[in-house]
Amino acid sequence: MARTKLYTGIYVALFVIATMQVAVEQIGLLESSYMLALGLITVFSLVKAVVVAGYFQHLVWEPRSVTYVMLLGFVGFLALTVAASYSIL
Amino acid sequence: MTDDNQPRTDGGTATALPGDSHDDDHLPPRWSLKRWLVTTNHKDVGLLYLATAMFFLVFGGVLALLIRAQMWSPRAPGTGVLSAMAYNQAVSLHGLIMVFWFISPFATGFANYIVPLQIGAEDLAFPRLNALSYWLYLASGILVFASFFQGSSFAGGWTLYAPLNIPAFMPSIGATTTVFAIVVFCASITVGGVNFLTTIHRMRAPGLTMRSLPLFTWSWLLTAWMMLLAFAALLAAVMILLSDRMLGTTYFAATTAGGSVLWTHLFWFFGHPEVYIVFFPALGAMAEIFQTFSGNRIVGRKWFIVSMVLVALQSFIVWMHHMFLTSINLEVKTLFMATTIGISLPFDLMVFALIYTLIKGRIRWDTPMLYAFGALVLFIVGGITGVFLGAVVLDYEFRGTYWVVAHFHYVMVSGVTGLIAGLFYWFPKMTGKTYDEFLGKLSFAVYFTGFNLLYFPLFLAWGTPRRVFAYRPEYVGWHRLASVGAVILGIAFLLIIYNLAKSIVAGDDAAANPWPYSTTAEWAVASPPPIENFPGKPSYVSGSLEFLDDDATAAAAADGGTAATDGGHAALESGHGDDVHVDHASYWPVTIGLFTLVTALGLSGLQVGSYPSGLEGLFYQGASVLGVVGLLGSITAMGYENFTAHEGGLGEAWPFEGVENTKMGMWVFLASDVVLFGAFIGAAIFLRVAYGWTQWHPIPHNPIPGLVNTYLLLTSSFTVILALVAAQKRSRKGVVASLTLTFLLGLGFLANKAIEWVVLFSEGTGLDSSVRASTYYLTTGLHMGHVIAGLLVTAYLIWRAWNGAYTDGNDETLEYFGLYWHFVDIVWLFLFPLFYIV
Ligand code: HEM
Ligand SMILES: [Cu+2]
């Protein structure tokens, strides 16, 4: 398989994004503008997750239905977390 | 006998074939105990489920009669047949046993037996896992039984509400065992769910599209999806509860902001889908029976199916109607009142479809039809009374009263009634015997009378507080009527059991198809069906069911495959006919079940971090160690065992064409794991919101060790990929080296984590220091558990790879393990920022 190069590139990218996540904290963004920092960190996590699922777990090469199954679980998590948290605001 | 049948799409029709003399190859005979211990055949497992569920029906029923005896008069504590605590246990365990250990497993029994027959499969996708589901179920049932003998069983109601569920208020070991039993039960459901979803999606005969899938199979398919996701949330809830009880975390402690509301969210996020999980199989059975006994295809079949799908989806967004009297805000209550009204709409449509099917047909009132019709009537009463409860303002009055008790018994026991209809309907198929029709009808008369005498008065005595044996004296008449009804209903169950037991021993032989107008494939084979189910490869390609001989099969399979899919894999698998020998027996499922039981019993002795002292403590510790060692050994042995099962993808496989069975199973399992972790993470977020989001800071002082662990895990994901690449290049050295690296990286992760924890402990931050600490330890601990499990598998893989596995073109195992490992990685990508940075 000639995908080794692709995998390596992705691995490096993941490494960098993880570092950036901590960098956001280290430069003090959490103190100066919390919501922005929280948003950035969340987006970084999501990007990493999508890349790992898409390429390391081969989801981009599987039938779309497999992705939907995983999304079903994820939407369940979102529904529970968001609605429950909202209910006590 | 099947001459009456017209070709139909659902299941098609076929001429019944004589039973095949084909021996139950390599299985001990039915009269030997060994057969039932080692069997993995879906029909045997189905019968085991049915028999065990019936036992729990009797168990739960006895508890119910005790409750009704206590309710004969309004009581002061300490008077009547039960002490106050005994009554609390009876009420709690009656509910738990009926909901978990009777109804769902009863339905699972039918699903096991009937679904493969209906879809033209010779067995489930993973026969050993199917047996394992059963043994885990039995183990969990034995745990429940045992819990009565460990001080006291759980006594806080079947909903296990917080904070009553924590050790401060319910200290007995037995209560922990009850919760543990639910954990094991969830495991059983998850294994079963994965299996059924793979089977129904990927093992259908050629030509059997989703559109033409029989309704019972449809209802079970949706049940399995709901189970998969809902039970994962329950698993999270009970695991957290166990951790509070065994390890001393403080999620549900009375002093925690949001603790008891958190429990209700987690529980009812599972709990409302659960009521449809309970009812759907009955609905499917009723639909089959209505069609057969009215000689009429269900009216609006397509819309019936669409409604079921809608209800299954909507069932996940109505849970807060169980929380109208908690401190949740009015906006969210109103929203959930609306979604609750919304879910009753597709249900109305289904009820009308069933009614019109009857009106349009000529009904034959055999016993199954009587029960099915009775179920519909009862369901309508239950549904209407539920709508009252779904209105916020009315619920302020009704919540916590016997109105609720009456409502849910009408709906839930209507489901039981539908399943009893199924029991009579499929009894001739499963046993090859005919039941006694007169006794059957008599039992229905007694049943229906007893049911309404028991539950209707509860509406009239609705002012009685729920779960309490003291009530206003003016209700005494209604409660006595209910107690009399309970005895009559009990007699009806005995009549049913007597009728069927007698018929198994001395009934007339049943024909392959005793029911005119039946249309589904289980009636096209002998009663009971031979071990391989079908006399040839079933196919619906011609529009009705045919059994093809094996040469024709290859062609038909290829045809079916190409018609339905893009044909990718059909050619590859054709010709895979009789030359593959399929296995039916394995000792490992029952062994794993046994060691699960031992482990759970042992660990239940752990109370807030310590075992009891003396001999008792020794017993619990010994059992814990023995159980865990045995579990590891038997799981490894099962993995190592050669076991050939039927492959999928030979016929219809929408929408998972080309996703091989095991791979699909893995993905489906991971989806449930998403919900499990999701619920843990959701719980942490919820508690943080309750506490004040920005007042809450990460427990570790410094994100850098966490970042190092992120690097380690990312790298280990990468080395798993390299292992797969090496396997594809057939390099044994490469595989072993990459896996060893993975193992070491994982070990590094754990070591780093261990250091972090040791430092925190030494600073005095323990699991019980604060709810903030609890969420940090438990959520990352659950992740660590996943890492440890992954490393155990990695060690096994290294050993196998060393001996030459995976480099012979069969590298799927590595790929599937990779799916799991990357998933563990992904979870960390969220845990890391949540618990170390923000
Ligand atoms: C149109 C249909 C339904 C509606 C609108 C409805 C509504 C409700 C509501 C609002 C409650 C909460 C009452 C309270 O605690 O104050 C409730 C309780 C309950 N319902 Fe239903 N329901 C429906 C159908 C069903 C079905 C089909 C089942 C089961 C097969 C079921 C089983 C239950 C159970 C077990 C409870 C009690 C839970 C507990 O222990 O607190 N319901 N229902
Ligand atoms: Cu509900």
Side-chain angles (χ1 to χ4, degrees):
Chain A
M1 281 260 198
R3 289 206 192 124
T4 320
K5 242 197 219 139
L6 175 67
Y7 292 139
T8 315
I10 289 171
Y11 167 61
V12 173
L14 289 169
F15 221 91
V16 172
I17 302 177
T19 315
M20 279 159 60
Q21 247 176 346
V22 177
V24 169
E25 193 253 11
Q26 300 284 326
I27 61 170
L29 198 58
L30 275 168
E31 276 83 53
S32 55
S33 73
Y34 186 83
M35 288 322 275
L36 176 67
L38 185 64
L40 269 178
I41 288 171
T42 312
V43 169
F44 284 151
S45 278
L46 280 172
V47 170
K48 279 188 292 181
V50 167
V51 170
V52 174
Y55 293 94
F56 283 7
Q57 295 184 307
H58 305 154
L59 272 182
V60 294
W61 297 295
E62 299 286 358
R64 216 37 77 233
S65 50
V66 181
T67 309
Y68 294 145
V69 170
M70 296 313 276
L71 281 180
L72 210 59
F74 190 70
V75 169
F77 153 69
L78 278 185
L80 174 62
T81 307
V82 173
S85 298
Y86 171 73
S87 77
I88 51 164
L89 282 181
Chain B
M1 150 194 10
T2 47
D3 298 347
D4 300 318
N5 289 344
Q6 272 119 58
R8 309 220 174 149
T9 44
D10 51 331
T13 60
T15 317
L17 291 139
D20 158 350
S21 61
H22 196 331
D23 221 359
D24 294 7
D25 32 358
H26 303 292
L27 269 181
R30 270 169 205 283
W31 46 260
S32 107
L33 176 65
K34 189 175 159 202
R35 153 108 175 201
W36 300 99
L37 294 177
V38 302
T39 186
T40 64
N41 183 263
H42 72 98
K43 296 184 288 298
D44 291 348
V45 176
L47 294 175
L48 286 170
Y49 261 110
L50 288 173
T52 313
M54 295 282 262
F55 169 79
F56 280 104
L57 167 69
V58 174
F59 187 0
V62 170
L63 293 173
L65 290 173
L66 287 173
I67 297 172
R68 285 318 315 170
Q70 184 77 2
M71 297 293 282
W72 185 254
S73 305
R75 314 270 188 188
T79 62
V81 288
L82 297 176
S83 71
M85 267 315 268
Y87 180 82
N88 289 349
Q89 288 180 61
V91 168
S92 309
L93 269 288
H94 161 71
L96 284 170
I97 287 173
M98 288 303 198
V99 171
F100 290 128
W101 283 279
F102 165 54
I103 305 188
S104 277
F106 197 52
T108 309
F110 290 120
N112 253 293
Y113 207 105
I114 301 300
V115 163
L117 290 168
Q118 285 196 337
I119 66 174
E122 287 173 18
D123 207 322
L124 293 189
F126 311 111
R128 287 185 307 171
L129 289 188
N130 190 30
L132 180 61
S133 307
Y134 170 75
W135 293 110
L136 288 177
Y137 157 54
L138 185 64
S140 69
I142 296 173
L143 282 173
V144 166
F145 196 78
S147 72
F148 281 96
F149 302 96
Q150 294 172 293
S152 153
S153 192
F154 195 90
W158 85 278
T159 47
L160 317 171
Y161 280 145
L164 213 54
N165 56 10
I166 61 172
F169 302 110
M170 200 154 313
S172 73
I173 290 183
T176 304
T177 307
T178 316
V179 180
F180 223 126
I182 301 174
V183 170
V184 176
F185 185 79
C186 289
S188 157
I189 292 274
T190 306
V191 174
V194 167
N195 207 348
F196 274 106
L197 291 172
T198 309
T199 305
I200 300 177
H201 279 296
R202 289 198 28 92
M203 307 272 287
R204 282 170 285 137
L208 188 61
T209 58
M210 296 300 277
R211 276 188 89 115
S212 51
L213 206 57
L215 288 174
F216 178 69
T217 300
W218 252 115
S219 72
W220 184 254
L221 175 67
L222 294 168
T223 305
W225 275 114
M226 287 189 284
M227 277 182 170
L228 184 84
L229 303 176
F231 271 88
L234 177 66
L235 181 58
V238 283
M239 281 172 78
I240 296 175
L241 177 55
L242 267 192
S243 153
D244 268 15
R245 297 185 62 86
M246 289 169 37
L247 307 175
T249 51
T250 57
Y251 278 74
F252 302 125
T255 50
T256 313
S260 65
V261 179
L262 171 65
W263 175 265
T264 49
H265 274 301
L266 290 175
F267 186 83
W268 288 115
F269 185 76
F270 145 80
H272 192 87
E274 167 68 1
V275 309
Y276 296 103
I277 290 168
V278 165
F279 194 72
F280 264 36
L283 187 69
M286 284 157 67
E288 299 282 5
I289 291 166
F290 278 27
Q291 297 187 95
T292 297
F293 290 91
S294 67
N296 202 5
R297 194 161 184 266
I298 193 154
V299 173
R301 188 174 192 279
K302 190 169 92 192
W303 296 107
F304 192 84
I305 294 171
V306 170
S307 301
M308 282 203 287
V309 174
L310 280 177
V311 169
L313 288 171
Q314 286 174 284
S315 71
F316 286 90
I317 51 165
V318 298
W319 80 91
M320 283 187 230
H321 67 214
H322 295 271
M323 301 170 60
F324 287 155
L325 265 79
T326 64
S327 59
I328 59 174
N329 60 44
L330 190 59
E331 289 81 1
V332 91
K333 285 182 197 171
T334 315
L335 183 65
F336 275 75
M337 176 162 85
T339 57
T340 302
I341 295 170
I343 201 172
S344 61
L345 301 178
F347 239 109
D348 296 341
L349 199 142
M350 287 191 265
V351 168
F352 284 121
L354 289 175
I355 294 174
Y356 280 124
T357 308
L358 295 187
I359 293 177
K360 279 184 59 189
R362 274 213 323 276
I363 305 170
R364 305 190 314 281
W365 293 103
D366 295 273
T367 308
M369 184 61 209
L370 284 172
Y371 274 101
F373 184 72
L376 181 63
V377 173
L378 301 176
F379 185 75
I380 292 172
V381 178
I384 291 173
T385 54
V387 175
F388 284 65
L389 297 171
V392 176
V393 181
L394 288 177
D395 195 50
Y396 284 172
E397 269 309 297
F398 285 132
R399 171 105 201 141
T401 70
Y402 260 60
W403 184 275
V404 178
V405 177
H407 154 68
F408 72 70
H409 279 91
Y410 261 87
V411 271
M412 299 272 245
V413 189
S414 153
V416 175
T417 313
L419 290 176
I420 290 174
L423 185 61
F424 279 102
Y425 182 57
W426 282 307
F427 179 81
K429 178 56 55 190
M430 297 189 294
T431 59
K433 300 289 181 184
T434 310
Y435 62 82
D436 184 325
E437 187 64 46
F438 170 75
L439 266 181
K441 287 189 169 133
L442 179 69
S443 74
F444 175 73
V446 179
Y447 183 100
F448 202 72
T449 313
F451 183 110
N452 287 295
L453 272 183
L454 167 54
Y455 297 122
F456 204 78
L458 303 185
F459 283 124
L460 304 173
W462 71 267
T464 312
R466 204 182 153 182
R467 296 173 178 166
V468 172
F469 47 71
Y471 53 85
R472 291 216 300 273
E474 68 247 40
Y475 290 138
V476 84
W478 296 131
H479 278 294
R480 294 207 167 160
L481 208 55
S483 294
V484 171
V487 173
I488 297 178
L489 186 62
I491 292 172
F493 278 116
L494 292 184
L495 264 177
I496 294 168
I497 293 172
Y498 168 74
N499 183 358
L500 299 184
K502 183 193 82 156
S503 306
I504 288 177
V505 179
D508 296 334
D509 284 344
N513 180 11
W515 311 120
Y517 300 108
S518 64
T519 58
T520 44
E522 72 269 29
W523 305 110
V525 290
S527 301
I531 189 119
E532 302 282 12
N533 287 351
F534 305 105
K537 292 279 170 190
S539 167
Y540 292 86
V541 173
S542 68
S544 68
L545 176 59
E546 289 173 303
F547 298 115
L548 309 174
D549 61 37
D550 282 316
D551 285 347
T553 312
D559 273 358
T562 34
T565 76
D566 29 31
H569 52 285
L572 200 134
E573 317 214 81
S574 63
H576 156 93
D578 249 6
D579 44 328
V580 172
H581 177 77
V582 173
D583 295 300
H584 292 292
S586 170
Y587 273 111
W588 300 114
V590 61
T591 314
I592 295 176
L594 180 70
F595 283 117
T596 307
L597 174 63
V598 176
T599 309
L601 263 185
L603 291 180
S604 69
L606 196 58
Q607 282 177 301
V608 197
S610 57
Y611 282 100
S613 55
L615 211 57
E616 198 192 349
L618 218 58
F619 165 79
Y620 282 117
Q621 288 172 33
S624 308
V625 174
L626 176 72
V628 170
V629 172
L631 257 183
L632 289 178
S634 47
I635 291 173
T636 312
M638 182 158 140
Y640 196 60
E641 184 180 49
N642 268 321
F643 192 93
T644 314
H646 296 278
E647 279 170 36
L650 297 169
E652 305 298 327
W654 187 87
F656 296 101
E657 296 94 350
V659 189
E660 191 270 342
N661 275 7
T662 315
K663 188 193 275 187
M664 173 170 173
M666 179 56 99
W667 276 115
V668 170
F669 166 73
L670 290 181
S672 87
D673 224 13
V674 168
V675 176
L676 178 77
F677 267 114
F680 269 83
I681 295 174
I685 292 179
F686 177 87
L687 288 173
R688 182 165 177 173
V689 169
Y691 185 91
W693 183 269
T694 43
Q695 269 100 288
W696 172 301
H697 300 287
I699 290 286
H701 320 294
N702 182 344
I704 299 305
L707 180 64
V708 171
N709 260 353
T710 310
Y711 292 153
L712 288 176
L713 265 198
L714 283 174
T715 313
S716 77
S717 254
F718 184 58
T719 51
V720 167
I721 298 266
L722 292 183
L724 192 60
V725 172
Q728 280 156 357
K729 290 187 183 143
R730 315 252 156 145
S731 152
R732 187 169 72 126
K733 254 199 227 137
V735 175
V736 173
S738 317
L739 286 177
T740 309
L741 256 175
T742 309
F743 188 82
L744 294 176
L745 289 163
L747 226 48
F749 177 92
L750 291 179
N752 189 1
K753 202 86 226 257
I755 295 170
E756 182 179 309
W757 282 21
V758 169
V759 170
L760 284 171
F761 287 148
S762 71
E763 292 169 358
T765 310
L767 277 72
D768 55 355
S769 300
S770 63
V771 63
R772 190 163 59 97
S774 292
T775 58
Y776 158 75
Y777 282 115
L778 191 63
T779 316
T780 60
L782 176 73
H783 179 262
M784 238 163 80
H786 275 68
V787 171
I788 292 172
L791 289 189
L792 290 173
V793 176
T794 311
Y796 173 82
L797 294 178
I798 294 174
W799 172 55
R800 293 292 306 264
W802 184 265
N803 291 309
Y806 318 128
T807 39
D808 51 1
N810 296 312
D811 51 25
E812 302 86 4
T813 312
L814 284 183
E815 186 189 346
Y816 306 152
F817 168 70
L819 296 181
Y820 170 82
W821 191 252
H822 303 313
F823 170 75
V824 174
D825 192 4
I826 292 178
V827 171
W828 180 256
L829 296 180
F830 289 97
L831 295 190
F832 168 54
L834 186 59
F835 289 103
Y836 288 80
I837 306 182
V838 298

